[in-house]
Amino acid sequence: MKFLPIALILLFSLSMVFGEEKSVDVTETQIKSIPKSWFPSVDGIFTKGEFIDLSTTQGGRLYIRYGPISDSGVELERVDGAGKVIWRYQVAPLGVSHSKYNHRVWTRIEDKKIQVTSIGAKTIIETIDLDTGTKVSRSIHETQR
């Protein structure tokens, strides 16, 4: 019976170390500064929607939205575990006429940075900070076909 309290303390300690989800603090100013969504709905044809489930240490989900047949730019939206929007970021489009090309988007997260590669009339590579939703870098290159 002496081992039961020790086992319970050990289990509690391990759950605090490995099972804890970190919450992201969002200020009132950040909520007011979240831009309106470019894509209020996703139909899978004119607007594609994808998401990445974030790890338990980050919590929530990262949504990716874009138009696959137009120069729509790319919208990223991070939500917490309850579905509350933490930030929304929009990768600016190039300004090319509608339906001039197929628009392909790849998104990768590494070292708390999101790299968005948007391939259309040109290739845009933009890096965004995962925690804050702010731009780290942007480059535009000729698209290799």
Side-chain angles (χ1 to χ4, degrees), residues 14-23 56-57:
L14 288 173
S15 71
M16 293 303 289
V17 171
F18 294 107
E20 178 182 14
E21 284 197 21
K22 294 180 182 176
S23 64
T56 56
T57 57

Side-chain angles (χ1 to χ4, degrees), residues 4-145:
L4 184 58
I6 294 170
L8 290 175
I9 291 170
L10 181 61
L11 283 173
F12 176 76
S13 299
L14 288 173
S15 71
M16 293 303 289
V17 171
F18 294 107
E20 178 182 14
E21 284 197 21
K22 294 180 182 176
S23 64
V24 178
D25 294 326
V26 180
T27 65
E28 190 69 28
T29 305
Q30 287 173 311
I31 291 171
K32 289 179 182 176
S33 67
I34 295 174
K36 185 177 178 180
S37 177
W38 285 350
F39 306 100
S41 65
V42 173
D43 62 13
I45 298 169
F46 297 106
T47 303
K48 289 237 179 183
E50 302 168 3
F51 65 85
I52 298 172
D53 281 327
L54 301 172
S55 68
T56 56
T57 57
Q58 294 297 318
R61 188 173 269 182
L62 178 69
Y63 288 98
I64 303 113
R65 300 179 190 105
Y66 60 95
I69 61 167
S70 64
D71 181 31
S72 63
V74 181
E75 182 173 83
L76 303 174
E77 181 180 86
R78 180 166 179 197
V79 299
D80 64 15
K84 180 179 175 184
V85 176
I86 297 170
W87 54 256
R88 184 177 294 126
Y89 181 83
Q90 293 151 333
V91 176
L94 295 171
V96 177
S97 297
H98 176 71
S99 299
K100 292 284 185 179
Y101 60 84
N102 288 327
H103 184 200
R104 294 174 288 160
V105 174
W106 286 275
T107 307
R108 180 175 67 128
I109 299 174
E110 187 175 329
D111 298 328
K112 291 194 162 201
K113 301 282 187 266
I114 306 163
Q115 182 179 22
V116 177
T117 303
S118 172
I119 300 175
K122 293 189 178 186
T123 298
I124 301 170
I125 300 172
E126 200 154 308
T127 304
I128 298 96
D129 184 271
L130 178 62
D131 291 333
T132 63
T134 56
K135 178 171 61 176
V136 175
S137 66
R138 176 180 171 100
S139 61
I140 300 173
H141 311 275
E142 292 298 322
T143 296
Q144 301 296 318
R145 301 217 188 258

